[in-house]
Amino acid sequence: MNFFDFTDKVAVVFGASSGIGKAAALGYGDSGAKVAVLARRKEKLDDLVKEMHDKGYIATAFECDVTSEDSIKNAAKEIVEKYGKIDILFNNAGIAVPGSIENITVEQWNKSMNTNVRGAYMTMKYLIPEMKKNHYGKVINTASVNAVLFDKNEDLVRHAYNVSKSAMVGLTKAAAATYMKDGITINTIGPGLFETEMTEGTLFKHEGFMKAYNASNPAGRPGKMEELIGTIMYLSSDASNYVTGQLILVDGGITLV
Ligand SMILES: NC(=O)c1ccc[n+]([C@@H]2O[C@H](COP(=O)([O-])OP(=O)(O)OC[C@H]3O[C@@H](n4cnc5c(N)ncnc54)[C@H](O)[C@@H]3O)[C@@H](O)[C@H]2O)c1
């Protein structure tokens, strides 16, 4: 049995226009899946789909804002119309609002929660029923090491982000306990530090942070994208059929020490 052959599987990637989502979409394509790529920036998605088609992969772009219920509902309908079913949901859309409880506005707090938590709740709300129809599904949510590891420096503090990522762990565990009987596993990845649009201009530019991260990380460095994609593919595959409700930290061991 080839666990990582996704031929005949339909994978849906939210937040696919850049970073981890884009790399995962390519990973699903590499493994033979039909891939629905979603985000707000349609032109970026069109470029990704072109890149995937050039490689011989099957992929379609759907414009979607995860803060909008209608947008998610319509996208789910269009994906099922296009590909007939949904097997894999990679919930990856996210934003990192900087600041402490005192420094962020209520609007920033709401935007963080609406994107990172409410968005994932709504994608699961509309995609899980499609998975239940076939008694098969793999949901991979995206938390962070920042669900369990926190900064104390004022210029690095991201309280709304921390809370949203801790909430992803709770959402994952609660939903996992309910939907295993429907043949659906639900897990969450907790990436350490990877260079993407979210981090390249912020954390990667912060000399003090990078020094401290590398010094306290047993790997001594940030992760490489391919070191994260394998875990996403594992949790998307039948190799993980008895694994559910788990936070899998992909962090070079930084949470160990
Ligand atoms: N890069 C890291 O080191 C790291 C570490 C831990 C967790 N994460 C998480 O990984 C996920 C991906 O982040 P990334 O690092 O690839 O950054 P990124 O900024 O490149 O990707 C974020 C993606 O989410 C999309 N997005 C944001 N708001 C959206 C909305 N309202 N509707 C639809 N799509 C929306 C963006 O367009 C983009 O495609 C995020 O959830 C992030 O919190 C990243």
Side-chain angles (χ1 to χ4, degrees):
M1 181 172 185
N2 179 355
F3 284 118
F4 301 104
D5 177 3
F6 292 151
T7 311
D8 297 329
K9 294 282 191 278
V10 177
V12 179
V13 182
F14 285 91
S17 56
S18 59
I20 295 167
K22 179 177 176 183
L26 288 162
Y28 288 124
D30 283 339
S31 305
K34 300 177 179 75
V35 192
V37 294
L38 297 90
R40 291 162 303 176
R41 294 174 293 180
K42 183 67 166 42
E43 60 305 337
K44 289 230 170 207
L45 294 177
D46 288 340
D47 290 346
L48 171 60
V49 165
K50 186 179 177 317
E51 183 181 340
M52 293 177 78
H53 287 172
D54 288 348
K55 288 173 183 272
Y57 302 164
I58 302 164
T60 308
F62 300 88
E63 197 173 328
C64 180
D65 181 341
V66 298
T67 63
S68 157
E69 183 178 8
D70 282 346
S71 183
I72 292 172
K73 213 197 279 190
N74 293 339
K77 192 167 160 273
E78 284 173 30
I79 294 164
V80 174
E81 274 166 16
K82 173 84 187 169
Y83 290 129
K85 61 172 184 161
I86 292 168
D87 299 299
I88 299 164
L89 161 59
F90 180 36
N91 253 330
N92 162 81
I95 55 168
V97 173
S100 67
I101 286 168
E102 290 170 276
N103 296 336
I104 57 167
T105 62
V106 172
E107 288 70 30
Q108 286 174 311
W109 171 273
N110 287 344
K111 190 173 179 198
S112 180
M113 295 304 155
N114 285 345
T115 307
N116 297 1
V117 185
R118 184 171 166 266
Y121 144 67
M122 291 195 296
T123 62
M124 289 163 74
K125 177 177 174 63
Y126 289 106
L127 273 63
I128 283 178
E130 297 301 327
M131 295 174 167
K132 283 171 81 173
K133 285 179 190 167
N134 300 313
H135 198 77
Y136 184 89
K138 313 291 288 183
V139 179
I140 304 89
N141 291 323
T142 305
S144 166
V145 284
N146 292 130
V148 293
L149 192 67
F150 308 103
D151 288 299
K152 61 182 177 189
N153 294 345
E154 189 57 39
D155 55 339
L156 289 170
V157 160
R158 297 181 297 179
H159 285 161
Y161 186 70
N162 291 140
V163 175
S164 72
K165 293 304 182 181
S166 300
M168 291 306 289
V169 179
L171 177 65
T172 298
K173 288 181 184 291
T178 295
Y179 294 110
M180 188 64 171
K181 68 176 185 323
D182 298 300
I184 301 168
T185 64
I186 305 176
N187 293 285
T188 187
I189 53 165
L193 181 64
F194 294 82
E195 192 163 10
T196 64
E197 277 186 19
M198 181 179 282
T199 55
E200 65 196 357
T202 52
L203 300 179
F204 274 83
K205 286 257 160 64
H206 193 293
E207 212 177 301
F209 172 81
M210 290 307 293
K211 236 181 179 167
Y213 182 92
N214 292 336
S216 59
N217 191 317
R221 60 170 175 81
K224 298 176 192 153
M225 195 55 83
E226 65 269 22
E227 292 172 325
L228 179 58
I229 300 309
T231 302
I232 299 165
M233 296 302 125
Y234 161 69
L235 294 173
S236 304
S237 79
D238 289 338
S240 60
N241 281 353
Y242 204 58
V243 178
T244 198
Q246 300 305 305
L247 164 65
I248 310 286
L249 294 164
V250 187
D251 65 357
I254 196 164
T255 42
L256 294 173
V257 293

